[in-house]
Every structure is written in C-alpha cells, then in structure tokens.
Amino acid sequence: MTPHPLLEAITRGAPLVRRRAMAKAITLLESTRPDHRAQADALLTELLPHTGRALRLGISGVPGVGKSTFIEALGIHLIGQGLKVAVLAIDPSSSVSGGSILGDKTRMERLSMQENAYIRPSPSGGTLGGVAEKTRESLLVCEAAGYDVVIVETVGVGQSETAVHGMTDMFCVLQLPNAGDDLQAIKKGVMELADLVVINKADIDAAAATRAQAQITSSLRLLGFHGNPEHDPHNAAQWRPRVIQASALQHQGMEDFWAVVCEFRQMQTANGRLAARREKQALAWMWERIDFGLKQAFRAHPQVRALLPQMQADVAAGRIAASTAARNLLAAQSG
C-alpha cells in the first residue's frame, strides 16, 4: 500500500514543509466530502505510530478570563525551555450565519511568530462541549509532527465545556478573582473535572485572588469526597486538584503552572492513570464516530428521505407527536 503523500512531510519534513502539510492534513480532516473522509481515515491510521508522545493540555474558562493571553504566555515560556508547542483554538460559530472569526492568531501574535509554535483556529460548527468536531484528529496530527505540548483552547461558554476533558491528559480551568468564584467553584461540570484551577489576572486584585484561591481549594476538596473518583482525597497515589494564581499579562506564574503540570504528568504516568485515561478516550472517540455515522446513514436512507418532509410538516403543524414521527422514521429505515 502506497503511503499517504502527506505522511512523510508531517513526520520528517523541514519546518516550513511540515507546517504546510499539517495545515493541509487538518483541512482534509475537517472536510465533509465522503472521498476526503476516506483519505483522512487512511492518513490517520498511518500517523498513529508517530503519536502519543506529546502532553495533551486542555484549557477552559469563561469568556474574558484571558485564555488566549494565558496560552501565549505559557507557549513562549515553554519554547524558551526548548519545547515545541501546538495550539488548537476553537472559535464559536454563529448560530445565524454559521461563520466564525477565527482570530486566535491575532490574539496570540507573539506566539504565532515563533518557529516552534503552531496555532490552528477551528470553528466549533455547533459542536457542543467547547471543542470542534475534528479536534481529536487534529491533535494526533500535531503529535505526529513532533510537537511536545498540544494545547486545546475551548470556546469559553461556561459550565458545559466537558468534552475537552475527554481528549486531553490534563484539564485546566481558568477563573477570575471577584467573579462569584465561591459559587462557581461548587457547581458540577467543568470544576468537577478540573485537574488544575488557575486564578488568572491575579495582579488586578491580590486580596480577591487569594480569597478565590482559598474558596476554590475548599470546594475542590469537597468535590473530591463526593465527585470525580479520579480525585479521591483518601488515595495518596491519586492526583489532588490544585489551585494556583497567575497573571498572564504580566507573564507571572508560568513557572509554577508548568511545575504543577510536570508533577501531574509524572504521577499519572507512574500510577498508570495516564495510559488508562487515553485508552478510555480512544474508545469513547470510536463510539462518538459510530453515533455520528449512524445518524448520517439514517438521513441518507432512501425511505427515510422520502418520508422525512411529510413527518417534519406534520410535527410542525401539530398533527403528530414528535416521538411518533421519530418512531415512524426509524421503522422506515429498518423496513
């Protein structure tokens, strides 16, 4: 079997050749054309032996918390230590036009000019969970290209951004001081899954940042007793979520942040949880694609396509219940 033409360029090409090949590969992965999907699947299979060595880092937080500024400061710090950093930034798509600004390279101007940095903005396309549909595949392309750290920046829509936890090794949540953190910290959702919480913009109000750090630390301890079993406070071999302060604008706290990340990676590798987490994520990804494929196949079924307009009209007019219409369409597919 002839190797995919992009394989050699991504894994062994010169820096500029490699970056162009990565961009082409991710564009191919994001395509919805059936022939492109087949090519993308073949490319991913060939890339798999070259993946798995990077640290996958998820960054989430509400809009305005400073995610892009934080990632830029962190990326420059890591490049200064000799590491290669890739950023997969997800921008929200308009519910009206379907378009997306994709302005992350502008917000990370200094980082985008670094030779050892790669930034790829992608539209969310209406995908829930703060990530794009093909973020997992894009992450593998970055790993195959030799990047040491792959950062996934979520859309920034609040407590529902849990999908990024299902594709990264470490899930970090940025919080603001003086933003109701005592209430936010006890909410289920992103805080329950967070491995590390960063109080960003701590330079604005040091007292508020310290207060938020104490409140969230207490809340995470409570969630450890009643929430995520991976954060069991009674098990010394398991990771206990940390809360630290930082100021991305002032480039403060990046060393502390990276030290905690390295400690997390070392502990999770030693206790086997990092490998187990990736195995679980791979299986979840498989079932996610099966669900998506079944939905596509359902819509493409000839009998479903013939019956669908009438069912939609009947449901819209109130002549038939939505559940009944769904059963009729499912019966048409199976029949």
Side-chain angles (χ1 to χ4, degrees):
M1 182 178 176
T2 306
H4 195 283
L6 290 175
L7 176 66
E8 183 72 19
I10 291 172
T11 57
R12 297 186 181 87
L16 289 178
V17 173
R18 186 173 300 203
R19 291 165 76 93
R20 283 196 296 268
M22 289 173 66
K24 288 181 179 180
I26 294 175
T27 299
L28 179 66
L29 290 166
E30 293 177 342
S31 174
T32 56
R33 282 177 43 175
D35 58 328
H36 286 176
R37 285 305 310 155
Q39 294 176 38
D41 288 341
L43 175 60
L44 276 179
T45 300
E46 294 178 43
L47 288 176
L48 276 179
H50 304 278
T51 65
R53 290 180 287 273
L55 174 69
R56 306 167 183 177
L57 192 62
I59 304 287
S60 184
V62 297
V65 76
K67 292 189 296 297
S68 296
T69 305
F70 182 88
I71 290 171
E72 181 177 55
L74 175 63
I76 290 173
H77 173 73
L78 296 179
I79 289 171
Q81 294 191 350
L83 300 175
K84 296 178 65 178
V85 180
V87 180
L88 300 176
I90 316 303
D91 263 13
S93 296
S94 169
S95 58
V96 178
S97 67
S100 187
I101 295 174
L102 302 179
D104 292 276
K105 286 190 176 181
T106 302
R107 290 198 294 267
M108 304 180 198
E109 186 176 2
R110 287 183 59 206
L111 183 61
S112 66
M113 293 188 293
Q114 300 290 323
E115 183 179 341
N116 287 330
Y118 179 81
I119 302 174
R120 173 74 183 208
S122 297
S124 63
T127 305
L128 299 178
V131 296
E133 184 185 332
K134 300 301 190 315
T135 301
R136 287 182 177 87
E137 289 94 327
S138 301
L139 191 153
L140 293 177
V141 171
C142 294
E143 287 191 340
Y147 285 85
D148 303 296
V149 182
V150 183
I151 301 173
V152 181
E153 179 196 1
T154 68
V155 167
V157 292
Q159 292 289 329
S160 63
E161 294 182 350
T162 57
V164 68
H165 177 267
M167 64 181 69
T168 54
D169 300 325
M170 188 176 192
F171 181 41
C172 306
V173 176
L174 302 190
Q175 284 278 44
L176 288 167
N178 266 338
D181 294 302
D182 52 340
L183 175 62
Q184 296 292 335
I186 61 174
K187 284 187 178 180
K188 302 289 185 179
V190 291
M191 294 301 297
E192 189 175 31
L193 296 173
D195 299 304
L196 174 61
V197 178
V198 180
I199 312 299
N200 196 27
K201 303 185 180 181
D203 58 305
I204 296 176
D205 189 336
T210 301
R211 189 165 55 249
Q213 183 178 15
Q215 291 167 344
I216 295 177
T217 300
S218 176
S219 300
L220 288 176
R221 190 176 297 115
L222 180 64
L223 287 175
F225 285 109
H226 303 286
N228 190 346
E230 292 184 4
H231 298 158
D232 184 0
H234 297 297
N235 190 341
Q238 287 190 9
W239 177 256
R240 298 175 186 176
R242 309 279 181 83
V243 185
I244 63 173
Q245 297 183 31
S247 173
L249 191 62
Q250 302 297 329
H251 289 259
Q252 297 172 357
M254 297 303 111
E255 299 87 352
D256 294 340
F257 176 87
W258 187 242
V260 174
V261 172
C262 291
E263 184 183 346
F264 173 88
R265 187 182 195 181
Q266 183 178 5
M267 175 179 283
Q268 297 298 84
T269 301
N271 63 22
R273 289 190 172 273
L274 187 64
R277 184 166 175 166
R278 288 192 174 188
E279 289 173 5
K280 184 178 178 181
Q281 290 171 351
L283 291 173
W285 178 22
M286 180 189 74
W287 282 109
E288 178 186 301
R289 303 322 300 166
I290 289 172
D291 290 341
F292 180 77
L294 288 173
K295 189 175 181 180
Q296 279 192 319
F298 175 79
R299 287 180 174 273
H301 194 280
Q303 289 176 278
V304 171
R305 292 176 65 181
L307 186 60
L308 186 58
Q310 184 60 50
M311 289 291 98
Q312 287 180 316
D314 289 344
V315 170
R319 291 188 293 267
I320 187 173
S323 57
T324 303
R327 281 196 298 272
N328 290 343
L329 289 166
L330 289 169
Q333 182 198 33
S334 60

